[in-house]
């Protein structure tokens, strides 16, 4: 690999900052300086212990061709998940080692590599065409892999408070969306996520005297069987069927001669746009009520489902991906949640980035060829968007 790759050079620098949520380690300052060289105005937004960056490149003041409704924003996160047990990595997690045509390191694919492609693409675009005819911005957060409370959500509130002019008109989130090859999948929505904590209260006692105790385990099993049998829907044109998974069942009982005092279970529902938190929670309670067993249930929704309907944004991204990768992407809504769930409350958003095969794993890596192709995709998106 002897050719120079601007995206690789940027990605290596980004990966070398150990920015495990919520630590920034200086990575956003580095990005801000790099963008300021191109004429971006950078605002650092600190909320709680989280650092965020909003950078915008305004069109030249005397441009009378400025286009309304054409402010495009690249969105992403500089925080990474912890590297895991020391010594398990073949190459140091923040060493940014390049070997065998790949860049290794925590965040290489999720998602510093993608941010490097954003930057390389914007540099190439501005060097070739000059500043675009409408604003172009970056929304970078340090709180995506964590609780996602003081990150993208807060920056959007800040933008919203500054008035409709300030809010970008369309967003591309650079999450790694492709299972194996670049160009397979563009995400145009996501399922919602709701977690339930279920508890059945019994009465502890000796197994030899069951009449003096009340065993919560059979009741819990009946409730869980009812949940497991629940068919929420059949899915629709853009979404798979909603799904409920039981994730833990706990009685915490270390003794074989004791009837436990209570039983707990946790389940998670990934739901499509046929449901929201308001309709799903009562439906689940009704299902449990029908079992005729008394229980306690807490349900929390960490994100509603959303869908960006096919339109100019999805068409431009799909066209750019097809042109540069030679693949026709599926427009999907699968996978976990991302910060796109916050953006979708304000503006159309799609997600397209690198291959996600090794994200959050030991030896996370990305193909250098993919960094170059993704940069070309992003340049193509900019030329189509600002045409
Ligand atoms: Zn990510």
């Amino acid at each position: 690999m002897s050719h120079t790759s601007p995206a690789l050079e940027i990605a290596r620098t980004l990966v070398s900052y150990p920015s495990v949520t919520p630590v920034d380690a200086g990575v956003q300052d580095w990005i801000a300086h790099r963008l300021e060289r191109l004429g971006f105005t950078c605002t650092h937004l600190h909320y709680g212990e989280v650092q965020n960056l909003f950078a915008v490149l305004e069109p030249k003041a005397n441009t009378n061709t400025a286009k309304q409704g054409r402010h495009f924003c690249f969105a992403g996160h500089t925080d990474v998940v912890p590297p895991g047990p020391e010594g398990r990595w073949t190459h140091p997690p923040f060493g940014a080692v390049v070997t065998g045509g790949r860049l290794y390191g925590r965040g290489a694919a999720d998602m510093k590599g993608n941010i490097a492609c954003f930057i390389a693409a914007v540099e190439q675009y501005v060097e070739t065409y000059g500043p675009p005819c409408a604003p172009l911005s970056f929304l970078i957060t340090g709180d995506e892999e964590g609780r996602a409370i003081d990150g993208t959500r807060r920056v959007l509130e800040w933008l919203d408070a500054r008035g409709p002019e300030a809010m970008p008109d369309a967003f591309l989130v650079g999450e790694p969306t492709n299972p194996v090859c670049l160009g397979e999948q563009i995400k145009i929505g996501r399922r919602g996520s709701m977690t339930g904590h279920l508890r059945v209260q019994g009465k502890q006692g000796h197994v030899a005297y069951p009449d003096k105790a009340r065993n919560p385990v059979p009741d819990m099993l009946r409730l869980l069987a009812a949940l497991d049998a629940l068919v929420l829907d059949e899915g629709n044109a853009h979404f798979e069927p909603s799904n409920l998974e039981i994730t833990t069942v706990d009685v915490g009982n270390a003794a074989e001669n004791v009837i436990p005092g209570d039983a707990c279970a946790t389940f998670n529902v990934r739901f499509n746009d046929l449901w929201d938190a308001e309709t799903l929670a009562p439906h689940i309670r009704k299902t449990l009520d029908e079992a005729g067993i008394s229980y306690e249930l807490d349900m929390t929704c960490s994100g509603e489902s959303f869908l960006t309907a096919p339109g100019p944004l999805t068409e431009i991204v799909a066209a750019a991906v097809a042109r540069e990768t030679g693949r026709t992407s599926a427009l999907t809504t699968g996978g976990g949640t991302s910060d796109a769930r916050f953006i979708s409350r304000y503006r159309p958003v799609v997600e397209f980035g690198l291959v996600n095969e090794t994200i959050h794993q030991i030896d996370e890596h990305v193909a250098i060829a993919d960094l170059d192709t993704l940069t070309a995709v992003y340049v193509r998106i900019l030329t189509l968007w600002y045409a």
Side-chain angles (χ1 to χ4, degrees):
M1 194 55 61
S2 59
H3 79 291
T4 55
S5 163
L8 174 63
E9 173 247 328
I10 299 166
R12 290 192 69 184
T13 305
L14 298 181
V15 167
S16 71
Y17 288 92
S19 54
V20 176
T21 326
V23 173
D24 171 74
V27 64
Q28 289 185 12
D29 272 347
W30 187 88
I31 293 171
H33 289 141
R34 184 98 181 191
L35 293 176
E36 279 163 358
R37 290 200 327 214
L38 287 176
F40 278 78
T41 304
C42 295
T43 309
H44 298 274
L45 297 150
H46 300 253
Y47 300 115
E49 55 187 356
V50 175
Q51 205 161 306
N52 304 282
L53 171 67
F54 184 75
V56 60
L57 180 63
E58 297 289 351
K60 286 213 184 71
N62 58 1
T63 312
N64 52 14
T65 55
K67 290 178 182 151
Q68 290 292 317
R70 301 297 276 176
H71 179 171
F72 189 84
C73 182
F74 285 116
H77 62 90
T78 45
D79 61 321
V80 296
V81 294
E86 243 176 84
R88 299 264 315 272
W89 286 66
T90 312
H91 310 288
F94 303 106
V97 169
V98 174
T99 180
R102 293 163 166 178
L103 166 65
Y104 284 82
R106 175 58 82 227
D110 184 12
M111 59 170 277
K112 288 172 169 174
N114 306 266
I115 292 177
C117 295
F118 288 170
I119 298 169
V122 169
E123 288 180 347
Q124 193 184 321
Y125 181 92
V126 172
E127 277 159 25
T128 311
Y129 305 102
C133 57
L136 166 63
S137 59
F138 283 70
L139 191 171
I140 304 294
T141 179
D143 185 30
E144 198 276 341
E145 302 287 10
R147 296 186 307 152
I149 287 170
D150 291 319
T152 299
R153 189 203 311 231
R154 298 287 301 272
V155 180
L156 290 165
E157 286 167 4
W158 173 78
L159 284 167
D160 195 41
R162 295 171 74 208
E165 303 276 285
M167 182 66 77
D169 298 293
F171 290 78
L172 183 140
V173 175
E175 287 291 349
T177 49
N178 297 287
V180 182
C181 303
L182 204 65
E184 285 173 305
Q185 292 191 7
I186 298 167
K187 293 212 191 290
I188 56 165
R190 294 273 185 155
R191 291 175 298 179
S193 174
M194 192 169 221
T195 297
H197 296 278
L198 181 62
R199 185 167 171 273
V200 174
Q201 179 71 56
K203 183 166 180 270
Q204 189 181 320
H206 196 297
V207 282
Y209 303 94
D211 51 316
K212 295 210 167 69
R214 202 172 65 251
N215 193 341
V217 175
D219 284 351
M220 177 58 87
L221 294 178
R222 274 182 219 114
L223 291 173
L224 293 178
L227 290 180
D228 195 46
L230 187 61
V231 176
L232 287 163
D233 56 67
E234 307 287 320
N236 59 23
H238 293 290
F239 284 92
E240 289 170 29
S242 301
N243 180 54
L244 184 152
E245 285 297 322
I246 297 158
T247 51
T248 66
V249 185
D250 307 290
V251 291
N253 189 4
E256 56 191 39
N257 59 353
V258 174
I259 292 170
D262 60 0
C264 299
T266 306
F267 59 91
N268 179 268
V269 189
R270 293 297 159 112
F271 57 93
N272 58 38
D273 63 350
L274 297 170
W275 299 93
D276 58 30
E278 298 251 297
T279 56
L280 187 59
H283 187 75
I284 284 170
R285 283 185 192 280
K286 185 170 148 275
T287 304
L288 292 170
D289 289 346
E290 281 163 6
I293 292 161
S294 74
Y295 64 88
E296 292 161 40
L297 176 66
D298 280 321
M299 292 201 73
T300 49
C301 178
S302 61
E304 297 280 3
S305 71
F306 73 90
L307 179 71
T308 295
L313 177 63
T314 57
E315 281 164 20
I316 282 174
V317 174
V321 172
R323 183 75 179 264
E324 300 298 338
T325 68
R327 292 191 180 87
T328 304
S329 308
L331 303 179
T332 68
T333 57
T337 60
S338 80
D339 276 359
R341 70 190 191 271
F342 304 124
I343 297 168
S344 66
R345 294 176 195 166
Y346 298 90
R347 292 289 191 266
V349 54
V350 299
E351 298 174 67
F352 183 75
L354 292 162
V355 171
N356 57 31
E357 221 173 356
T358 63
I359 63 170
H360 295 209
Q361 295 183 14
I362 303 285
D363 286 336
E364 178 177 348
H365 61 264
V366 65
I368 295 162
D370 282 356
L371 291 173
D372 293 337
T373 306
L374 183 60
T375 302
V377 169
Y378 290 158
V379 172
R380 179 75 59 184
I381 289 170
L382 292 174
T383 56
L384 292 171
W385 182 264
Y386 290 106

